[in-house]
Amino acid sequence: MTIPQMLIFSILAITMGLFLWGRLRHDVIALAALLASVIAGLVPTDTAFAGFGHPAVITVACVLILSQGLQNTGAVDWLARSVLPRDAGRLTGMLALMGLGAVLSGFMNNVGAMALLMPVAVQLSNRLDLTPGQVLMPLAFGTILGGMTTLIGTPPNLIVSGFRNEAGLGHFAIFDFAPVGAAVAVVGVIFVVFVGWRLVPARQSAAGESFDTGAYFTELRVPEKSKAVGLTLRAFEREIEDSDAQIVGLVRNEVRITAPHGGRRIRANDILILEADVDTLAEALSVFGIELEERTASSEDKDAAEEKTAQSESPDDTDEGEDEGPARNDEIVLRELAILPGSTIVGRSANDMKLRTRYAINLLAVSRAGRAPRTRLRTLELKSGDLLLVQGASDAVSGFVNDTGCVPLGARDLRIPDTRMAIIAGAIMVGAIGIVTFGLLPAAVAFALGVLASMVLRTVPLRQVYTAIDWPVIVLLAALIPVAGAMQSTGAADLLARFLVDTIAQGNAVVALGVVLITTMFLSDLMNNAATAAVLCPIALGISDTLGVNPDTFLMAVAIGASCAFLTPIGHQNNTLILGPGGFRFGDYWRLGLPLEVLVVVVSLPLLLVVWPL
């Protein structure tokens, strides 16, 4: 063993030890490993940060941004409502939820798919009389399984494809992973749905994971083309009962009807007074394609009239509004604000304050001690203790908070669905995938083009483009790619490959394939799966070269193994996401995870030999 080989093995051993220790973030450890390799002379200084321009890194960042667009516009919420049956039993409900999670994670970041479906899983657990964890863990594992089915489903697949290209074999196509990955995902989902979920410990979720602001009272205008037209109020409430929302009033022809009879039929342009929790407001809105009244009211004619009034009252306000106009379109946010006793808006209404013209924000809903307001939102006199749901540019909302003395509540993911923007976001994602599928452009370029379209069409606000990227993952990938390259350049990968082949596999290619698969799965349970793929790819290529067999078989084994982290909460971000909401302990995961990993090995190993013969 040469000195460079001893150095790179030492750096990797320390790196893995730090990963397992878990006291430092993965990106910090990866950056330290890169700098250590540079200082040791294993990575040239002029290529030390070349990983940040690696196609796999660019693709991961772009997929995260496009996933944010699907989340912002409510596209995935609509898909969840369309796919999940309303009156399903345990098996049907679990199968639909896991199937949806697996399909989504094949075409968007699987962490994003998990985050989007978590509220749906919690609601489903209540309906099926299960603890949240008994639904959250199957969903987490389903999204992990689905990620292995396409090139863009999970970062390890992109990393494996990148190493294949650097070896002179070209990139994998977007659906090259599907024959083995899809079969493993289908078998895994079926196992969890019919047997596995029973192995999940029935624990209560951790307390205090969120805060309760009570119900909001908001106004919904029924458009002429809405499916709600002609329904009775009772039938409308049945359709939205899963969102725990109810109708407490009706405004028709400017006449308010308090506690309307459930047999009254809804007409076009009726305004429904809805009581709903803020977290389920989006679901209640999107079932019938209804919009918030305050959003509908801000038409071009009304804005023009208010702008004219504002000009006559205060030229300064008009100038400010004109400056903020573009910002309204750039970054529209939803915020919850609490009114303090000393606030300047106590006793005033939205009309009195001219919220649109002075602050460029809309008052969408009010929560007041569990009681429905007796007047319209725009004329409601606000009181201390009221909670406001407002919409506007981030800077405009901040200015309103500073001027009025309101207090913003803790940030929550609040989304109001926008059908037009959801269609655009979905079309952008489908278009990018289509470009990659037909080989018109490389994945990095195609998805970067999709990001550009998202920025131009505003499915992702400009400022949110950068916050949508999981920067620790990007740094992790970019830092470890040169380190993995050092394993090849120093001959360390070949040395380790020969050890595995001669000592463990005894020269048997099938046994060596099993060793690579199981080793990758084991390491991915203990350290980041992207890091595992970056470390094992050079070893897999070295083993295939030593044995003189097909390198694609071994690279696919790394891809499958890196995507199957089911034993610990630290192996995959989706496992970490459910730790608190599911009330789990560190040792709870292996009860379902171990039989699932054994099943993955049993199914994937023969399939690898058939689809990617040695």
Side-chain angles (χ1 to χ4, degrees), residues 321-335:
E322 288 177 356
D323 291 339
E324 291 178 355
R328 270 183 232 176
N329 296 327
D330 287 344
E331 186 176 8
I332 303 300
V333 298
L334 293 174
R335 292 289 183 267

Side-chain angles (χ1 to χ4, degrees), residues 157-230:
N157 290 0
L158 293 165
I159 294 172
V160 168
S161 179
F163 274 98
R164 185 179 192 268
N165 183 60
E166 291 177 0
L169 303 174
H171 287 287
F172 281 120
I174 190 168
F175 291 114
D176 279 349
F177 298 83
V180 179
V184 172
V186 169
V187 173
V189 167
I190 292 175
F191 166 75
V192 174
V193 167
F194 286 92
V195 180
W197 69 269
R198 307 173 194 273
L199 305 176
V200 180
R203 303 193 187 281
Q204 294 300 318
S205 59
E209 64 172 323
S210 62
F211 52 87
D212 182 14
T213 57
Y216 275 89
F217 297 90
T218 189
E219 300 178 354
L220 312 180
R221 180 176 290 274
V222 181
E224 294 183 359
K225 296 181 179 180
S226 172
K227 293 183 292 184
V229 175

Side-chain angles (χ1 to χ4, degrees), residues 320 324 359 361 393-405:
E320 183 181 353
E324 291 178 355
Y359 295 102
I361 64 175
S394 179
D395 292 342
V397 174
S398 298
F400 176 75
V401 168
N402 293 333
D403 289 349
T404 61

Side-chain angles (χ1 to χ4, degrees), residues 281-414:
L281 184 58
E283 180 182 354
L285 289 174
S286 52
V287 168
F288 292 104
I290 296 177
E291 292 190 358
L292 290 166
E293 160 65 2
E294 281 301 299
R295 298 179 83 206
T296 310
S298 56
S299 62
E300 292 182 4
D301 292 340
K302 182 162 185 172
D303 280 345
E306 290 183 347
E307 205 168 307
K308 184 176 180 180
T309 303
Q311 289 176 357
S312 63
E313 291 181 352
S314 173
D316 292 337
D317 287 344
T318 303
D319 292 341
E320 183 181 353
E322 288 177 356
D323 291 339
E324 291 178 355
R328 270 183 232 176
N329 296 327
D330 287 344
E331 186 176 8
I332 303 300
V333 298
L334 293 174
R335 292 289 183 267
E336 292 175 279
L337 309 177
I339 302 179
L340 297 180
S343 174
T344 59
I345 64 174
V346 172
R348 305 179 68 188
S349 67
N351 278 353
D352 294 337
M353 292 180 286
K354 293 183 171 55
L355 285 182
R356 288 202 188 98
T357 53
R358 291 182 63 86
Y359 295 102
I361 64 175
N362 292 324
L363 174 63
L364 300 185
V366 174
S367 177
R368 174 176 292 176
R371 297 192 303 272
R374 296 183 179 180
T375 63
R376 300 290 305 280
L377 280 180
R378 67 188 67 167
T379 58
L380 175 67
E381 289 189 1
L382 302 175
K383 297 181 179 180
S384 61
D386 284 352
L387 299 178
L388 313 179
L389 180 63
V390 300
Q391 176 198 47
S394 179
D395 292 342
V397 174
S398 298
F400 176 75
V401 168
N402 293 333
D403 289 349
T404 61
C406 293
V407 176
L409 298 181
R412 284 200 274 183
D413 183 19
L414 307 175

